[in-house]
Amino acid sequence: MGIIVALGIIVGVRLAIADLPLYAVFLMVGLLVIVVITTSTARALALCLMVSTAIGMAAGYRNQPEPVPPYVGRVQITTSAQVTSDPKQTSRGLSATVRWVDTHGVSRTSRLYADAHPRFHRGDEINVAARVRGLDADYLYASSVTVAQRATGLEASRARLRDWLDRTIRQRIGGSEGALALGLINGDDSAMTTRDADAVRHAGLSHITAVSGWNVTLVVASVGALVLALGRRGRMWVSAEILALAAYVWLVGSDAPVVRAAIMAGFVIVARQLGRPAHGPTLIALAAALMIAADPAAFSSLSFQLSILATAALILSLRLTSRYRGLAAVIIAPVAATSIIALVTAPALAASTGTFSLASIPANVAAGSLVVLAASATILLVATSWIPIVATAFAFLTWVLTHAILWIAALFARLPGGFIEFRQMDGAMLRLAMTLLTLTALLALPEGRFGFWQLQRWNQQDARIAPVACTSFALATVALIVVTF
Protein backbone atom coordinates (compact mmCIF):
# COMPACT_ATOMS: atom_id res chain seq x y z
CA MET A 1 0.00 0.00 0.00
CA GLY A 2 2.85 2.37 0.80
CA ILE A 3 4.35 1.89 -2.66
CA ILE A 4 0.95 2.66 -4.26
CA VAL A 5 0.69 5.86 -2.19
CA ALA A 6 4.21 6.89 -3.23
CA LEU A 7 3.53 6.14 -6.90
CA GLY A 8 0.33 8.17 -6.81
CA ILE A 9 2.06 11.19 -5.25
CA ILE A 10 4.92 11.09 -7.76
CA VAL A 11 2.56 10.75 -10.73
CA GLY A 12 0.33 13.55 -9.43
CA VAL A 13 3.29 15.90 -9.01
CA ARG A 14 4.62 15.11 -12.48
CA LEU A 15 1.19 15.62 -14.05
CA ALA A 16 0.95 19.02 -12.36
CA ILE A 17 4.43 20.05 -13.47
CA ALA A 18 3.82 18.84 -17.05
CA ASP A 19 0.46 20.68 -17.03
CA LEU A 20 -1.53 17.70 -18.31
CA PRO A 21 -4.99 18.12 -16.72
CA LEU A 22 -6.72 16.14 -19.51
CA TYR A 23 -4.48 13.14 -18.87
CA ALA A 24 -5.21 13.48 -15.16
CA VAL A 25 -8.94 13.36 -15.89
CA PHE A 26 -8.56 10.21 -17.99
CA LEU A 27 -6.45 8.64 -15.24
CA MET A 28 -8.99 9.45 -12.54
CA VAL A 29 -11.87 8.15 -14.67
CA GLY A 30 -9.98 4.92 -15.38
CA LEU A 31 -9.25 4.42 -11.69
CA LEU A 32 -12.89 5.17 -10.85
CA VAL A 33 -14.00 2.49 -13.31
CA ILE A 34 -11.70 0.00 -11.60
CA VAL A 35 -13.17 0.99 -8.22
CA VAL A 36 -16.70 0.42 -9.52
CA ILE A 37 -16.22 -2.87 -11.38
CA THR A 38 -13.86 -4.59 -8.95
CA THR A 39 -14.01 -5.70 -5.37
CA SER A 40 -11.74 -6.26 -2.40
CA THR A 41 -8.00 -5.59 -2.88
CA ALA A 42 -8.14 -4.14 -6.41
CA ARG A 43 -10.79 -1.62 -5.37
CA ALA A 44 -8.77 -0.54 -2.30
CA LEU A 45 -5.58 -0.12 -4.33
CA ALA A 46 -7.31 1.87 -7.07
CA LEU A 47 -9.00 4.12 -4.50
CA CYS A 48 -5.70 4.63 -2.71
CA LEU A 49 -4.01 5.53 -6.01
CA MET A 50 -6.77 8.03 -6.79
CA VAL A 51 -6.43 9.82 -3.47
CA SER A 52 -2.62 9.89 -3.49
CA THR A 53 -2.55 11.15 -7.10
CA ALA A 54 -4.89 13.98 -6.14
CA ILE A 55 -2.61 14.84 -3.19
CA GLY A 56 0.42 14.78 -5.46
CA MET A 57 -1.24 17.09 -7.99
CA ALA A 58 -2.15 19.56 -5.26
CA ALA A 59 1.45 19.52 -3.98
CA GLY A 60 2.80 19.89 -7.52
CA TYR A 61 0.65 22.92 -8.33
CA ARG A 62 1.47 24.50 -4.97
CA ASN A 63 5.24 23.91 -4.97
CA GLN A 64 6.20 24.13 -8.63
CA PRO A 65 8.77 26.89 -9.24
CA GLU A 66 7.69 30.10 -10.87
CA PRO A 67 8.83 30.42 -14.51
CA VAL A 68 11.82 32.74 -14.89
CA PRO A 69 12.01 34.84 -18.06
CA PRO A 70 15.25 34.90 -20.08
CA TYR A 71 17.83 37.34 -18.84
CA VAL A 72 17.72 40.75 -20.47
CA GLY A 73 20.32 43.15 -19.18
CA ARG A 74 23.95 44.12 -19.16
CA VAL A 75 26.70 41.54 -19.41
CA GLN A 76 28.72 43.29 -16.70
CA ILE A 77 26.76 43.74 -13.47
CA THR A 78 27.31 44.88 -9.91
CA THR A 79 24.80 43.45 -7.48
CA SER A 80 24.26 41.99 -4.03
CA ALA A 81 23.55 38.29 -3.65
CA GLN A 82 22.87 35.69 -0.99
CA VAL A 83 24.93 32.51 -0.95
CA THR A 84 22.54 29.55 -0.91
CA SER A 85 24.95 26.59 -1.10
CA ASP A 86 28.23 25.54 0.44
CA PRO A 87 31.13 26.88 -1.66
CA LYS A 88 33.20 24.33 -3.56
CA GLN A 89 36.84 24.74 -4.51
CA THR A 90 37.70 24.97 -8.19
CA SER A 91 40.94 25.50 -10.10
CA ARG A 92 40.17 29.21 -10.04
CA GLY A 93 38.87 29.65 -6.52
CA LEU A 94 35.38 29.16 -5.09
CA SER A 95 32.08 28.21 -6.69
CA ALA A 96 28.65 28.45 -5.08
CA THR A 97 24.97 28.96 -5.88
CA VAL A 98 23.71 32.48 -5.23
CA ARG A 99 20.33 34.18 -5.38
CA TRP A 100 20.12 37.75 -6.64
CA VAL A 101 17.68 40.22 -8.22
CA ASP A 102 18.35 41.74 -11.65
CA THR A 103 17.55 45.30 -12.70
CA HIS A 104 14.05 44.26 -13.81
CA GLY A 105 13.22 42.90 -10.36
CA VAL A 106 13.43 39.24 -11.40
CA SER A 107 14.82 36.93 -8.71
CA ARG A 108 17.45 34.62 -10.21
CA THR A 109 19.55 31.70 -9.05
CA SER A 110 22.99 31.44 -10.63
CA ARG A 111 26.26 29.59 -10.20
CA LEU A 112 28.96 32.00 -9.06
CA TYR A 113 32.64 31.49 -9.81
CA ALA A 114 34.96 33.68 -7.75
CA ASP A 115 38.49 33.92 -6.40
CA ALA A 116 39.50 31.97 -3.31
CA HIS A 117 39.55 35.13 -1.18
CA PRO A 118 37.64 36.44 0.55
CA ARG A 119 36.14 33.15 1.67
CA PHE A 120 32.36 33.14 2.03
CA HIS A 121 29.86 30.61 3.38
CA ARG A 122 26.26 29.60 2.93
CA GLY A 123 23.95 32.30 4.25
CA ASP A 124 26.40 35.18 3.70
CA GLU A 125 25.35 38.37 1.90
CA ILE A 126 27.96 39.37 -0.70
CA ASN A 127 28.50 42.22 -3.14
CA VAL A 128 29.55 41.00 -6.57
CA ALA A 129 30.93 42.56 -9.73
CA ALA A 130 30.56 39.85 -12.34
CA ARG A 131 30.13 38.89 -15.99
CA VAL A 132 26.80 37.20 -16.80
CA ARG A 133 26.67 34.09 -18.98
CA GLY A 134 23.77 31.89 -20.06
CA LEU A 135 20.27 32.47 -21.43
CA ASP A 136 18.80 32.61 -17.93
CA ALA A 137 21.91 34.14 -16.30
CA ASP A 138 22.96 30.64 -15.28
CA TYR A 139 26.55 31.65 -14.48
CA LEU A 140 28.26 34.64 -12.87
CA TYR A 141 32.02 35.02 -13.32
CA ALA A 142 33.10 37.43 -10.58
CA SER A 143 35.89 39.96 -10.95
CA SER A 144 35.49 41.08 -7.33
CA VAL A 145 33.61 39.87 -4.28
CA THR A 146 33.18 41.50 -0.88
CA VAL A 147 31.31 40.06 2.07
CA ALA A 148 28.62 42.54 3.07
CA GLN A 149 27.25 40.57 6.01
CA ARG A 150 28.20 37.25 7.51
CA ALA A 151 25.56 34.67 8.32
CA THR A 152 24.33 34.69 11.89
CA GLY A 153 22.86 32.17 14.29
CA LEU A 154 22.88 28.52 13.28
CA GLU A 155 24.36 29.24 9.86
CA ALA A 156 27.36 30.95 11.46
CA SER A 157 27.86 28.00 13.83
CA ARG A 158 27.60 25.59 10.92
CA ALA A 159 30.20 27.53 8.92
CA ARG A 160 32.64 27.49 11.86
CA LEU A 161 32.14 23.76 12.37
CA ARG A 162 32.70 22.98 8.68
CA ASP A 163 35.83 25.15 8.66
CA TRP A 164 37.11 23.29 11.72
CA LEU A 165 36.51 19.94 10.02
CA ASP A 166 38.34 21.18 6.94
CA ARG A 167 41.34 22.37 8.96
CA THR A 168 41.44 19.27 11.17
CA ILE A 169 41.57 16.89 8.22
CA ARG A 170 43.43 18.77 5.52
CA GLN A 171 46.14 20.24 7.77
CA ARG A 172 47.15 16.68 8.65
CA ILE A 173 46.48 15.12 5.24
CA GLY A 174 47.51 17.17 2.24
CA GLY A 175 46.74 16.94 -1.45
CA SER A 176 43.97 14.94 -3.05
CA GLU A 177 44.16 12.37 -0.24
CA GLY A 178 43.01 14.98 2.27
CA ALA A 179 40.31 16.26 -0.07
CA LEU A 180 39.04 12.70 -0.56
CA ALA A 181 39.02 12.07 3.20
CA LEU A 182 36.98 15.24 3.74
CA GLY A 183 34.64 14.22 0.93
CA LEU A 184 33.96 10.87 2.59
CA ILE A 185 32.68 12.76 5.65
CA ASN A 186 30.78 15.75 4.30
CA GLY A 187 30.74 15.22 0.52
CA ASP A 188 33.11 18.11 -0.28
CA ASP A 189 35.87 16.61 -2.42
CA SER A 190 36.23 19.72 -4.57
CA ALA A 191 39.87 20.29 -3.52
CA MET A 192 41.05 17.20 -5.41
CA THR A 193 43.30 17.91 -8.37
CA THR A 194 41.75 17.81 -11.82
CA ARG A 195 43.79 14.73 -12.71
CA ASP A 196 42.65 12.76 -9.67
CA ALA A 197 39.03 13.90 -10.05
CA ASP A 198 39.02 12.79 -13.71
CA ALA A 199 40.53 9.44 -12.74
CA VAL A 200 37.83 8.88 -10.11
CA ARG A 201 35.14 9.76 -12.66
CA HIS A 202 36.58 7.59 -15.43
CA ALA A 203 36.88 4.64 -13.03
CA GLY A 204 33.22 4.96 -12.03
CA LEU A 205 34.00 5.88 -8.42
CA SER A 206 32.39 9.34 -8.32
CA HIS A 207 29.67 8.13 -5.97
CA ILE A 208 32.03 7.35 -3.05
CA THR A 209 32.10 10.98 -1.87
CA ALA A 210 28.33 11.43 -2.17
CA VAL A 211 27.04 11.62 1.40
CA SER A 212 24.16 9.16 1.48
CA GLY A 213 22.68 6.20 3.31
CA TRP A 214 25.94 4.72 4.55
CA ASN A 215 26.92 7.94 6.35
CA VAL A 216 23.47 8.44 7.85
CA THR A 217 23.32 4.79 8.94
CA LEU A 218 26.71 5.14 10.61
CA VAL A 219 25.55 8.17 12.60
CA VAL A 220 22.25 6.63 13.73
CA ALA A 221 23.82 3.24 14.47
CA SER A 222 26.66 4.80 16.48
CA VAL A 223 24.29 6.82 18.65
CA GLY A 224 21.97 3.81 19.02
CA ALA A 225 24.87 1.58 20.06
CA LEU A 226 25.96 4.16 22.64
CA VAL A 227 22.43 4.38 24.05
CA LEU A 228 22.20 0.58 24.29
CA ALA A 229 25.66 0.38 25.89
CA LEU A 230 24.43 2.78 28.59
CA GLY A 231 21.45 0.50 29.16
CA ARG A 232 18.92 3.16 28.23
CA ARG A 233 15.56 2.48 26.65
CA GLY A 234 12.38 4.34 25.84
CA ARG A 235 11.18 7.13 23.60
CA MET A 236 13.26 9.79 25.32
CA TRP A 237 16.50 8.05 24.32
CA VAL A 238 15.26 7.40 20.80
CA SER A 239 15.08 11.17 20.49
CA ALA A 240 18.90 11.18 20.82
CA GLU A 241 19.11 9.24 17.54
CA ILE A 242 16.70 11.64 15.86
CA LEU A 243 18.64 14.67 17.12
CA ALA A 244 21.93 13.17 15.92
CA LEU A 245 20.33 12.51 12.54
CA ALA A 246 19.04 16.08 12.28
CA ALA A 247 22.41 17.49 13.36
CA TYR A 248 24.27 15.51 10.71
CA VAL A 249 21.87 16.60 7.96
CA TRP A 250 22.29 20.19 9.17
CA LEU A 251 26.08 19.86 9.03
CA VAL A 252 26.51 18.26 5.60
CA GLY A 253 23.65 20.12 3.91
CA SER A 254 20.25 19.17 2.58
CA ASP A 255 21.33 17.56 -0.69
CA ALA A 256 19.03 14.93 -2.17
CA PRO A 257 20.96 11.82 -1.02
CA VAL A 258 21.18 13.13 2.54
CA VAL A 259 17.52 14.09 2.75
CA ARG A 260 16.42 10.77 1.24
CA ALA A 261 18.60 8.79 3.64
CA ALA A 262 17.42 10.88 6.59
CA ILE A 263 13.74 10.33 5.71
CA MET A 264 14.32 6.59 5.40
CA ALA A 265 16.22 6.50 8.70
CA GLY A 266 13.37 8.38 10.37
CA PHE A 267 10.86 5.86 9.00
CA VAL A 268 13.02 2.99 10.28
CA ILE A 269 13.20 4.52 13.78
CA VAL A 270 9.43 5.06 13.88
CA ALA A 271 8.74 1.53 12.57
CA ARG A 272 11.06 0.08 15.22
CA GLN A 273 9.25 1.96 17.96
CA LEU A 274 5.88 0.76 16.67
CA GLY A 275 7.14 -2.81 16.40
CA ARG A 276 6.58 -2.90 12.64
CA PRO A 277 9.02 -4.26 10.03
CA ALA A 278 10.78 -1.68 7.87
CA HIS A 279 10.17 -2.60 4.24
CA GLY A 280 12.99 -1.28 2.04
CA PRO A 281 11.16 -0.64 -1.26
CA THR A 282 8.30 1.05 0.58
CA LEU A 283 10.67 3.30 2.51
CA ILE A 284 12.58 4.42 -0.56
CA ALA A 285 9.36 5.00 -2.51
CA LEU A 286 7.84 7.11 0.27
CA ALA A 287 11.08 9.05 0.74
CA ALA A 288 11.23 9.83 -2.98
CA ALA A 289 7.56 10.84 -3.02
CA LEU A 290 7.94 13.22 -0.07
CA MET A 291 11.02 14.84 -1.62
CA ILE A 292 9.33 15.32 -4.99
CA ALA A 293 6.16 16.68 -3.38
CA ALA A 294 8.20 19.23 -1.39
CA ASP A 295 10.46 20.14 -4.33
CA PRO A 296 9.14 19.04 -7.75
CA ALA A 297 12.37 20.16 -9.43
CA ALA A 298 14.33 17.60 -7.39
CA PHE A 299 13.28 14.84 -9.77
CA SER A 300 15.47 16.29 -12.53
CA SER A 301 18.51 16.49 -10.23
CA LEU A 302 21.29 14.00 -10.93
CA SER A 303 22.05 13.64 -7.21
CA PHE A 304 18.41 12.70 -6.55
CA GLN A 305 18.37 10.15 -9.36
CA LEU A 306 21.68 8.58 -8.28
CA SER A 307 20.53 8.48 -4.65
CA ILE A 308 17.31 6.65 -5.45
CA LEU A 309 18.92 4.30 -7.97
CA ALA A 310 21.82 3.43 -5.67
CA THR A 311 19.52 2.72 -2.73
CA ALA A 312 17.21 0.60 -4.87
CA ALA A 313 20.24 -1.30 -6.18
CA LEU A 314 21.48 -1.87 -2.63
CA ILE A 315 18.08 -3.26 -1.60
CA LEU A 316 18.06 -5.50 -4.65
CA SER A 317 21.57 -6.80 -3.90
CA LEU A 318 20.65 -7.52 -0.28
CA ARG A 319 17.62 -9.48 -1.45
CA LEU A 320 19.70 -11.53 -3.91
CA THR A 321 22.46 -12.32 -1.39
CA SER A 322 20.34 -12.86 1.72
CA ARG A 323 20.60 -16.65 1.42
CA TYR A 324 24.38 -16.65 1.86
CA ARG A 325 25.90 -17.14 5.30
CA GLY A 326 29.33 -17.00 6.90
CA LEU A 327 32.40 -16.41 4.74
CA ALA A 328 30.36 -16.61 1.54
CA ALA A 329 28.24 -13.68 2.70
CA VAL A 330 31.34 -11.63 3.61
CA ILE A 331 32.79 -12.14 0.14
CA ILE A 332 29.72 -12.22 -2.11
CA ALA A 333 27.53 -9.51 -0.53
CA PRO A 334 29.95 -6.55 -0.99
CA VAL A 335 30.87 -7.67 -4.51
CA ALA A 336 27.21 -8.01 -5.48
CA ALA A 337 26.30 -4.66 -3.91
CA THR A 338 29.06 -2.69 -5.63
CA SER A 339 28.47 -4.43 -8.96
CA ILE A 340 24.69 -3.92 -8.99
CA ILE A 341 24.99 -0.29 -7.84
CA ALA A 342 27.53 0.39 -10.61
CA LEU A 343 25.24 -1.19 -13.23
CA VAL A 344 22.05 0.51 -12.07
CA THR A 345 23.54 3.99 -11.77
CA ALA A 346 25.47 3.77 -15.05
CA PRO A 347 22.62 5.02 -17.34
CA ALA A 348 21.99 8.15 -15.25
CA LEU A 349 25.72 8.91 -14.97
CA ALA A 350 26.27 8.31 -18.67
CA ALA A 351 23.31 10.51 -19.62
CA SER A 352 24.55 13.35 -17.41
CA THR A 353 28.32 13.22 -17.96
CA GLY A 354 28.62 11.61 -21.39
CA THR A 355 31.01 9.04 -19.89
CA PHE A 356 30.34 5.33 -19.52
CA SER A 357 32.92 3.51 -17.40
CA LEU A 358 33.49 -0.11 -18.42
CA ALA A 359 35.86 -0.46 -15.47
CA SER A 360 33.34 0.67 -12.86
CA ILE A 361 32.48 -2.80 -11.56
CA PRO A 362 36.04 -4.06 -10.97
CA ALA A 363 37.07 -0.63 -9.67
CA ASN A 364 34.20 -0.58 -7.17
CA VAL A 365 34.95 -4.14 -6.09
CA ALA A 366 38.62 -3.26 -5.53
CA ALA A 367 37.96 0.02 -3.71
CA GLY A 368 34.72 -0.78 -1.87
CA SER A 369 36.17 -2.07 1.40
CA LEU A 370 38.86 0.64 1.38
CA VAL A 371 36.21 3.35 1.25
CA VAL A 372 34.56 2.07 4.43
CA LEU A 373 37.91 1.81 6.22
CA ALA A 374 39.03 5.26 5.05
CA ALA A 375 35.78 6.90 6.22
CA SER A 376 36.06 5.18 9.62
CA ALA A 377 39.71 6.25 9.97
CA THR A 378 38.77 9.84 9.11
CA ILE A 379 36.06 9.85 11.78
CA LEU A 380 38.56 8.56 14.34
CA LEU A 381 41.02 11.25 13.24
CA VAL A 382 38.43 13.95 13.90
CA ALA A 383 37.36 12.38 17.20
CA THR A 384 40.94 12.22 18.52
CA SER A 385 42.12 15.56 17.10
CA TRP A 386 42.73 16.85 20.64
CA ILE A 387 45.33 14.08 21.19
CA PRO A 388 48.13 14.97 18.71
CA ILE A 389 49.98 11.62 18.77
CA VAL A 390 46.83 9.53 18.26
CA ALA A 391 45.46 11.92 15.64
CA THR A 392 48.72 11.74 13.71
CA ALA A 393 48.56 7.94 13.68
CA PHE A 394 45.00 7.99 12.34
CA ALA A 395 45.98 10.67 9.82
CA PHE A 396 48.71 8.40 8.47
CA LEU A 397 46.29 5.47 8.26
CA THR A 398 43.73 7.65 6.47
CA TRP A 399 46.37 8.86 4.01
CA VAL A 400 47.40 5.28 3.20
CA LEU A 401 43.79 4.25 2.57
CA THR A 402 42.79 7.29 0.50
CA HIS A 403 46.04 7.07 -1.47
CA ALA A 404 45.22 3.44 -2.25
CA ILE A 405 41.74 4.44 -3.45
CA LEU A 406 43.17 7.11 -5.73
CA TRP A 407 45.77 4.63 -7.01
CA ILE A 408 43.02 2.14 -7.86
CA ALA A 409 41.05 4.88 -9.62
CA ALA A 410 44.09 5.91 -11.67
CA LEU A 411 44.88 2.29 -12.50
CA PHE A 412 41.42 1.48 -13.87
CA ALA A 413 41.09 4.88 -15.55
CA ARG A 414 44.24 4.14 -17.59
CA LEU A 415 43.03 0.78 -18.85
CA PRO A 416 42.65 0.75 -22.65
CA GLY A 417 38.95 1.10 -23.41
CA GLY A 418 38.19 1.50 -19.70
CA PHE A 419 35.70 4.26 -20.41
CA ILE A 420 33.74 5.57 -23.36
CA GLU A 421 32.95 9.25 -23.93
CA PHE A 422 30.04 10.24 -26.15
CA ARG A 423 27.40 12.89 -26.68
CA GLN A 424 25.11 13.23 -23.69
CA MET A 425 21.81 11.38 -23.96
CA ASP A 426 18.63 13.26 -24.66
CA GLY A 427 15.54 12.98 -22.47
CA ALA A 428 13.94 10.17 -24.51
CA MET A 429 16.98 7.91 -24.19
CA LEU A 430 17.20 8.54 -20.46
CA ARG A 431 13.49 7.76 -20.01
CA LEU A 432 13.94 4.52 -21.97
CA ALA A 433 16.87 3.49 -19.78
CA MET A 434 14.97 4.32 -16.59
CA THR A 435 11.90 2.43 -17.84
CA LEU A 436 13.97 -0.70 -18.55
CA LEU A 437 15.55 -0.44 -15.09
CA THR A 438 12.12 -0.10 -13.48
CA LEU A 439 10.73 -3.14 -15.28
CA THR A 440 13.86 -5.16 -14.43
CA ALA A 441 13.49 -4.25 -10.76
CA LEU A 442 9.81 -5.25 -10.81
CA LEU A 443 10.71 -8.68 -12.19
CA ALA A 444 13.64 -9.13 -9.78
CA LEU A 445 11.94 -8.08 -6.53
CA PRO A 446 9.35 -10.32 -4.83
CA GLU A 447 6.93 -7.37 -4.65
CA GLY A 448 6.90 -7.04 -8.44
CA ARG A 449 6.44 -10.77 -9.01
CA PHE A 450 3.63 -10.77 -6.43
CA GLY A 451 1.87 -7.97 -8.33
CA PHE A 452 2.08 -9.88 -11.60
CA TRP A 453 0.77 -12.99 -9.85
CA GLN A 454 -2.17 -11.03 -8.49
CA LEU A 455 -3.03 -9.79 -11.99
CA GLN A 456 -2.86 -13.34 -13.34
CA ARG A 457 -5.05 -14.61 -10.48
CA TRP A 458 -7.58 -11.84 -11.06
CA ASN A 459 -7.69 -12.71 -14.78
CA GLN A 460 -8.51 -16.32 -13.94
CA GLN A 461 -11.28 -15.32 -11.52
CA ASP A 462 -13.08 -12.86 -13.81
CA ALA A 463 -12.45 -13.69 -17.48
CA ARG A 464 -14.80 -10.99 -18.81
CA ILE A 465 -13.63 -7.83 -17.06
CA ALA A 466 -10.04 -8.66 -16.18
CA PRO A 467 -8.53 -8.64 -19.73
CA VAL A 468 -9.83 -5.14 -20.39
CA ALA A 469 -8.71 -3.91 -17.00
CA CYS A 470 -5.28 -5.53 -17.30
CA THR A 471 -4.76 -4.06 -20.79
CA SER A 472 -5.77 -0.63 -19.52
CA PHE A 473 -3.48 -1.07 -16.54
CA ALA A 474 -0.53 -1.97 -18.80
CA LEU A 475 -1.12 1.02 -21.10
CA ALA A 476 -1.55 3.34 -18.14
CA THR A 477 1.65 2.01 -16.56
CA VAL A 478 3.67 2.72 -19.71
CA ALA A 479 2.15 6.19 -19.98
CA LEU A 480 2.79 6.91 -16.31
CA ILE A 481 6.42 5.83 -16.61
CA VAL A 482 6.87 8.17 -19.59
CA VAL A 483 5.27 11.06 -17.70
CA THR A 484 7.10 10.28 -14.48
CA PHE A 485 10.57 9.89 -15.97
Side-chain angles (χ1 to χ4, degrees):
M1 190 67 74
I3 295 178
I4 295 296
V5 171
L7 177 62
I9 292 175
I10 294 173
V11 168
V13 171
R14 298 302 294 176
L15 287 174
I17 295 300
D19 196 18
L20 297 173
L22 185 60
Y23 184 88
V25 171
F26 286 146
L27 175 63
M28 290 298 185
V29 171
L31 291 173
L32 183 61
V33 170
I34 293 177
V35 170
V36 172
I37 67 176
T38 59
T39 58
S40 186
T41 305
R43 171 179 291 178
L45 292 177
L47 184 61
C48 182
L49 187 58
M50 283 184 61
V51 174
S52 58
T53 301
I55 294 174
M57 290 187 65
Y61 281 119
R62 183 180 185 277
N63 297 327
Q64 65 179 324
E66 294 291 333
V68 178
Y71 177 73
V72 179
R74 294 181 301 173
V75 175
Q76 297 288 342
I77 63 168
T78 300
T79 185
S80 61
Q82 182 179 30
V83 183
T84 58
S85 71
D86 292 308
K88 303 289 186 181
Q89 291 194 15
T90 67
S91 58
R92 176 180 172 181
L94 297 176
S95 173
T97 303
V98 298
R99 187 169 58 247
W100 58 288
V101 179
D102 65 15
T103 54
H104 299 282
V106 178
S107 178
R108 298 187 178 277
T109 299
S110 306
R111 192 69 185 177
L112 172 70
Y113 293 90
D115 294 333
H117 300 285
R119 187 170 181 84
F120 47 85
H121 300 88
R122 193 181 77 177
D124 290 351
E125 294 284 346
I126 59 177
N127 295 324
V128 181
R131 186 174 72 256
V132 182
R133 287 289 181 268
L135 180 64
D136 298 322
D138 304 291
Y139 306 102
L140 300 178
Y141 295 93
S143 56
S144 69
V145 173
T146 58
V147 180
Q149 182 178 351
R150 293 289 184 185
T152 58
L154 289 176
E155 283 291 352
S157 301
R158 179 179 179 272
R160 288 193 295 269
L161 182 55
R162 287 179 65 91
D163 283 345
W164 175 79
L165 275 175
D166 187 286
R167 291 193 306 271
T168 300
I169 295 173
R170 296 182 56 205
Q171 283 181 355
R172 290 179 169 86
I173 311 172
S176 293
E177 288 81 5
L180 178 58
L182 181 64
L184 294 175
I185 299 301
N186 67 0
D188 184 8
D189 62 349
S190 58
M192 281 200 300
T193 64
T194 303
R195 184 185 65 180
D196 289 330
D198 287 342
V200 169
R201 178 171 59 89
H202 291 158
L205 295 173
S206 301
H207 63 88
I208 64 175
T209 54
V211 178
S212 57
W214 183 85
N215 310 77
V216 171
T217 301
L218 181 62
V219 172
V220 175
S222 299
V223 176
L226 178 61
V227 170
L228 290 176
L230 295 174
R232 302 298 181 179
R233 300 289 190 277
R235 297 180 180 178
M236 184 182 70
W237 293 100
V238 171
S239 62
E241 295 178 85
I242 298 176
L243 288 175
L245 178 62
Y248 185 70
V249 173
W250 168 73
L251 173 64
V252 301
S254 55
D255 291 337
V258 185
V259 175
R260 186 267 312 154
I263 292 174
M264 291 184 65
F267 283 152
V268 170
I269 293 174
V270 172
R272 186 185 63 195
Q273 285 300 110
L274 297 176
R276 301 288 298 275
H279 184 240
T282 301
L283 293 182
I284 188 174
L286 289 174
L290 290 176
M291 292 174 66
I292 293 172
D295 182 13
F299 194 87
S300 301
S301 167
L302 177 63
S303 62
F304 174 85
Q305 295 169 2
L306 292 179
S307 172
I308 298 299
L309 289 173
T311 306
L314 180 60
I315 293 173
L316 177 59
S317 69
L318 292 176
R319 294 286 185 86
L320 297 177
T321 59
S322 60
R323 64 180 181 272
Y324 296 102
R325 296 291 184 272
L327 183 60
V330 174
I331 297 174
I332 295 176
V335 173
T338 54
S339 302
I340 294 176
I341 289 174
L343 286 173
V344 169
T345 57
L349 281 172
S352 175
T353 64
T355 301
F356 181 75
S357 176
L358 300 175
S360 60
I361 293 179
N364 276 273
V365 171
S369 59
L370 295 178
V371 171
V372 177
L373 293 175
S376 302
T378 306
I379 293 173
L380 292 174
L381 162 61
V382 173
T384 60
S385 59
W386 56 281
I387 309 175
I389 296 178
V390 178
T392 301
F394 282 122
F396 176 74
L397 177 60
T398 303
W399 181 89
V400 170
L401 293 169
T402 52
H403 183 76
I405 294 171
L406 293 175
W407 180 83
I408 290 172
L411 175 65
F412 283 97
R414 289 196 301 264
L415 290 177
F419 64 93
I420 301 173
E421 292 185 327
F422 51 88
R423 184 176 61 85
Q424 296 182 7
M425 293 184 186
D426 58 17
M429 289 296 295
L430 181 57
R431 284 195 294 270
L432 176 60
M434 300 289 269
T435 301
L436 292 177
L437 286 173
T438 302
L439 295 176
T440 303
L442 286 175
L443 293 173
L445 290 173
E447 292 81 4
R449 295 196 298 271
F450 176 76
F452 286 116
W453 175 79
Q454 285 282 32
L455 288 176
Q456 183 181 8
R457 180 170 173 267
W458 184 32
N459 184 53
Q460 293 173 349
Q461 291 178 345
D462 197 336
R464 294 176 301 173
I465 300 177
V468 177
C470 288
T471 302
S472 302
F473 176 80
L475 294 175
T477 300
V478 174
L480 291 177
I481 290 175
V482 172
V483 171
T484 301
F485 289 117

